[in-house]
Amino acid sequence: IDAQTFAEWGVDFLKYDYGNKPMGTHGKLLYRRMGAALATCGRDILFSACSWGTDETHEWIKTTGAHMWRSTHDLFNSWESLNDIARSQVALQPYNGQGCFNMDMLIVGLHDTKLPGDGCNDTEYKTHFALWCVLGSPLMIGGDIRDMKKEHIELLSNKELIKIDQDEAYRQAFLASYG
């Protein structure tokens, strides 16, 4: 019923969150059920699964029909939060790819928002955007572009970085070790 209602409303994007998940019900069942409902609702709706990376999501998320998934806890507006989440992606790289991309929103330009965290400086925002591009993450922002500085809009529309993110062959960066 929910998927059909979303289709009737003209919804294009659904972020399906783990909030209020019934106790005792495994997330993969809930996400598989919603994925099947969206696939048959008669409308192309981008399905974003948000389970905060709990319940070993990386092992089953591609079986749900989700197009993207949030692989971590909340991203806060701080360098420490960005750094922690970026480092966590090394182990999740094998699970990211065409058809189901991991990670979540960008916080670029959210200097003065009420997001938790002490904020990032412009260099940290540039690093954040470049890293999300190199990792092939979905590029969606968590703020209102009408309230952003010109420099942040220019960063978010950097054609060269976006080309890296949108690589058709999906050649995601990887961590190489030598030794």
Side-chain angles (χ1 to χ4, degrees), residues 103-144:
M103 299 205 348
D104 200 3
M105 71 172 190
L106 292 156
I107 59 167
V108 171
L110 301 182
H111 282 296
D112 301 319
T113 65
K114 294 186 176 13
L115 265 179
D118 54 3
C120 293
N121 62 42
D122 287 342
T123 300
E124 292 166 341
Y125 282 142
K126 287 177 185 177
T127 303
H128 171 37
F129 187 66
L131 185 57
W132 260 232
C133 289
V134 167
L135 293 174
S137 178
L139 300 178
M140 55 184 211
I141 58 170
D144 188 337

Side-chain angles (χ1 to χ4, degrees), residues 143-156:
D144 188 337
I145 61 171
R146 297 172 297 182
D147 297 331
M148 287 186 184
K149 295 178 184 177
K150 179 183 170 198
E151 310 87 81
H152 297 140
I153 292 173
E154 288 172 359
L155 173 61
L156 291 168

